[in-house]
């Protein structure tokens, strides 16, 4: 295949653009934040499960406290009623029974109040546990929200860059003969496509070419298209090639 040295040099720009287009495509489809965002989704689910469990426990303890408060208030009412009846009791047997019940109710109230104190402490602990878990969840959510916003901005920038590079590529390849571009495209599937030959080294695969290959290249006409024997890309020769 033959192509003018100018056209061959343009292939280096195409190869560079293709590298940057691939880079932009990677940034668009796999933003750097994606892995951490995935981790945060899993962490958040776990923290939410824990929060639901802790909230359930707290609600149970609160219900227990409400029940105790009701019990205490019932005992108080009954004590007041009994005391009233005792004040007006004329029958000694009835008075004795009331005194007995009042003593028993006092013990009952004292016991209930002891339990109430204990449950109030448990409510406090449960509230603190829920608040701490909610704070953990909020931190995770905030990190996720910030990273998602960053990722969206990065994806938008990469999309814009990719479109700009594609326009640049179109402008550059417009000048190339179709067979040369087709040859480049075919070879670009498995290599850099085209690379500069510098001091006997292919810039595409960084391998120093054997002397016999270099001699063949030296003997080739300027408009001959030559290929790297290692990676198969089109080797572009310029003044820098040091042939
Ligand atoms: Zn090579």
């Amino acid at each position: 295949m033959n192509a003018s040295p100018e056209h061959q040099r343009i292939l280096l720009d195409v190869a560079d653009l293709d590298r940057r287009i691939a880079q932009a495509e990677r940034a668009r489809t796999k933003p750097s934040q994606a892995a951490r965002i995935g981790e945060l989704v899993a962490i958040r689910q776990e923290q939410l499960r824990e929060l639901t469990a802790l909230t359930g426990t707290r609600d149970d303890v609160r219900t227990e406290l409400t029940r105790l408060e009701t019990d205490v208030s019932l005992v108080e009412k009954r004590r007041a009623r009994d005391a009233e009846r005792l004040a007006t009791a004329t029958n000694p047997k009835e008075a004795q029974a009331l005194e007995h019940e009042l003593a028993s109710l006092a013990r009952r109230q004292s016991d209930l109040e002891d339990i109430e104190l204990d449950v109030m402490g448990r409510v406090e602990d449960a509230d603190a546990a829920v608040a701490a878990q909610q704070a953990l969840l909020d931190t995770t959510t905030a990190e996720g929200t910030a990273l998602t916003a960053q990722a969206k901005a990065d994806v938008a920038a990469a999309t814009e860059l990719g479109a700009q590079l594609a326009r640049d590529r179109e402008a550059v390849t417009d000048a190339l003969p179709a067979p040369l571009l087709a040859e480049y495209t075919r070879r670009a599937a498995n290599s850099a496509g085209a690379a500069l030959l510098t001091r006997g080294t292919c810039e595409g695969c960084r391998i120093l070419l054997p002397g016999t290959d270099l001699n063949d290249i030296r003997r080739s006409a300027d408009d001959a298209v030559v290929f790297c024997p290692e990676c198969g890309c089109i080797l572009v020769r310029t003044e820098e090639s040091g042939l």
Side-chain angles (χ1 to χ4, degrees):
M1 165 169 277
N2 291 78
S4 72
E6 292 72 30
H7 284 156
Q8 290 191 42
R9 266 199 292 276
I10 289 174
L11 286 180
L12 293 177
D13 296 336
V14 179
D16 183 51
L17 282 165
D18 281 347
R19 253 194 312 275
R20 288 157 63 199
I21 286 169
Q23 225 168 44
E25 183 59 12
R26 276 195 298 278
R28 188 184 71 79
T29 55
K30 274 190 186 161
S32 60
Q33 302 87 351
R36 181 61 183 157
I37 289 172
E39 276 174 22
L40 288 172
V41 168
I43 291 171
R44 200 174 176 283
Q45 267 172 1
E46 186 50 46
Q47 288 176 340
L48 199 57
R49 234 192 322 273
E50 181 66 16
L51 179 64
T52 306
L54 289 170
T55 307
T57 304
R58 186 205 51 194
D59 290 349
D60 289 350
V61 185
R62 276 186 179 171
T63 305
E64 199 180 334
L65 183 61
T66 308
R67 206 166 45 228
L68 279 164
E69 282 163 356
T70 309
D71 288 353
V72 169
S73 129
L74 283 175
V75 171
E76 275 172 340
K77 273 184 197 144
R78 186 130 175 232
R79 281 180 77 185
R81 194 198 61 193
D82 283 2
E84 222 173 276
R85 281 171 63 193
L86 181 62
T88 58
T90 48
N91 182 335
K93 246 186 180 170
E94 191 198 349
Q96 201 183 15
L98 283 167
E99 270 167 3
H100 188 76
E101 188 173 297
L102 275 167
S104 153
L105 285 170
R107 276 196 307 274
R108 169 91 179 120
Q109 186 172 346
S110 166
D111 286 351
L112 282 173
E113 280 168 352
D114 284 349
I115 299 171
E116 201 179 5
L117 267 181
D118 174 62
V119 173
M120 280 163 99
R122 280 163 55 208
V123 166
E124 226 169 82
D125 290 349
D127 277 340
V130 167
Q133 188 63 24
Q134 183 66 56
L136 274 180
L137 187 66
D138 290 348
T139 305
T140 307
T141 305
E143 191 189 340
T145 305
L147 278 181
T148 302
Q150 274 174 30
K152 271 187 186 158
D154 285 2
V155 166
T159 306
E160 174 57 32
L161 178 64
Q164 180 59 53
L165 291 169
R167 285 194 293 272
D168 292 352
R169 188 187 194 277
E170 228 174 86
V172 170
T173 52
D174 261 357
L176 290 177
L180 180 65
L181 186 59
E183 186 67 34
Y184 161 82
T185 305
R186 200 170 62 75
R187 290 173 181 269
N190 301 310
S191 69
L196 190 66
L197 176 65
T198 318
R199 287 178 295 281
T201 300
C202 165
E203 293 286 328
C205 62
R206 305 271 163 194
I207 285 173
L208 181 67
L209 269 52
T212 48
D213 290 315
L214 279 174
N215 279 334
D216 288 347
I217 292 171
R218 276 189 201 103
R219 278 197 292 272
S220 306
D222 281 353
D223 66 347
V225 177
V226 297
F227 308 104
C228 170
E230 293 297 333
C231 69
C233 76
I234 296 171
L235 275 178
V236 179
R237 294 160 287 163
T238 68
E239 305 73 41
E240 303 162 58
S241 295
L243 284 166

